[in-house]
Every structure is written in C-alpha cells, then in structure tokens.
Amino acid sequence: MILTGPAITTAIRAGEITIDPYDPAHVSPNAYDWRLGDTLRVCAGELDAAAPTAYTEQTIPSSGLVLQPGLLYLGVTHERTGSEAYAQLLNGDRTIGSLGIWVHVSAPLGHQGHAIRWTLEIRAARPVRVYPGMTFGKLVFLTTQGTAASYQRQLAKYATTEGIDISRLYEEIGAGRR
C-alpha cells in the first residue's frame, strides 16, 4: 500500500523515512515531490553493456541547461531518501512529461534500506531547458510484507551509490566472459 502525505510526514517525524533536505511543502496527497540536483552526466557516444559508459559531466547553471534529443543524461536527485521500513518508487510527474522529458522509466524501485541520492535516466523529446532544484517527479513510499532485507546490508553493486552512477552491468558481463 502507498503511504498518504500525512503518513509520510508522520514516518519522517518518527525517523522511519529519511528525506534530506526535507521540505514539508513538497509533501503531496500520496507522495513527496523530489527535485533535480545540479549535476548531469551526458552520455553521447555508443553505449556498450560490456564496457563502462563514457560521459562528460556538467553542472546545471542557475540560468538552466537545454537538454537535447538523442542524448542520454544521467542526473541525480537533490534529495537523499531512504527507509528501513518502506520501499520507494521514484517517478517523473505529469508536469515534466508535458515538457517531453522522460525520467527514470526503467528503474523506479528503491529497495527497503536503500538510502541514496537517486541516479536518474533522463531523455528529452525536444530541446527543453531544465533548472537545478526544480520539481521533477514524485516519490512514493510503500509498505512491504514478509521479512525485511535491507539493501544497504547486501552485496549489491549499487548499495553504496552516493550520486550519479553509470550502468555497471559490465561487471556481470565481464565475470561471465572469463
């Protein structure tokens, strides 16, 4: 089940959910409105699942940055979020979608115990200017059933992510090629 806005606020006060920095004005009826961080990695070349992705890194200036179609951008959330009690789903929202921005379509699940600034996959349908700190999507918190297994305490390849992280599928492919 999805937590309501008041339940999110209660869980934050109880220390069951971490959102840093937290702004109560960003709590909506069933979600928290997360914001875009100030850094993007631009992946412009050919991508190969068996090799680390080449990229350039850009800081988004306060005057904004125009995203171009045909490029893959890896961004980061402004907020660090997590919970040992709840799983999370991170999505874009209608406002961003109406600008022709697809964000975080392929990996919206934040496991119980995963406390991170999220790496975002961003694509633009048309040239569109984005700004650091702008509202970019919704984060929902979900109750879980069964025995909890904290993601941070497992040997998962993204457990220690603290910002933008490229795909590390090459680690699995390389191990299988030996």
Side-chain angles (χ1 to χ4, degrees):
M1 292 203 281
I2 296 174
L3 269 61
T4 63
I8 293 169
T9 300
T10 299
I12 289 168
R13 288 184 183 142
E16 297 171 344
I17 291 175
T18 298
I19 300 176
D20 183 32
Y22 171 68
D23 182 347
H26 287 265
V27 177
S28 60
N30 295 94
Y32 186 84
D33 298 335
W34 59 270
R35 297 170 286 167
L36 180 64
D38 66 357
T39 306
L40 291 175
R41 288 185 177 172
V42 184
C43 307
E46 183 176 307
L47 303 177
D48 181 346
T53 301
Y55 62 86
T56 58
E57 194 162 285
Q58 291 184 274
T59 299
I60 305 171
S62 60
S63 59
L65 179 74
V66 176
L67 303 181
Q68 298 295 328
L71 296 177
L72 170 63
Y73 297 90
L74 298 178
V76 66
T77 57
H78 177 71
E79 295 85 359
R80 179 181 177 275
T81 67
S83 176
E84 289 290 338
Y86 303 99
Q88 307 167 74
L89 282 179
L90 184 119
N91 295 292
D93 65 12
R94 183 196 177 293
T95 306
I96 293 303
S98 295
L99 290 172
I101 299 172
W102 290 275
V103 62
H104 219 65
V105 175
S106 66
L109 179 63
H111 297 285
Q112 225 173 332
H114 208 185
I116 58 167
R117 289 180 68 207
W118 293 67
T119 295
L120 308 168
E121 305 112 23
I122 304 169
R123 301 277 310 220
R126 304 198 31 109
V128 58
R129 186 175 298 274
V130 297
Y131 301 87
M134 68 186 279
T135 299
F136 223 66
K138 304 267 185 209
L139 179 67
V140 299
F141 293 89
L142 307 164
T143 58
T144 59
Q145 291 183 330
T147 304
S150 177
Y151 189 83
Q152 293 301 115
R153 296 186 183 113
Q154 297 182 20
L155 296 175
K157 69 177 149 244
Y158 300 108
T160 59
T161 297
E162 278 302 319
I164 303 172
D165 205 352
I166 62 170
S167 170
R168 295 201 316 240
L169 187 58
Y170 63 89
E171 293 172 2
E172 294 176 29
I173 293 171
R177 294 176 134 191
R178 291 183 192 147

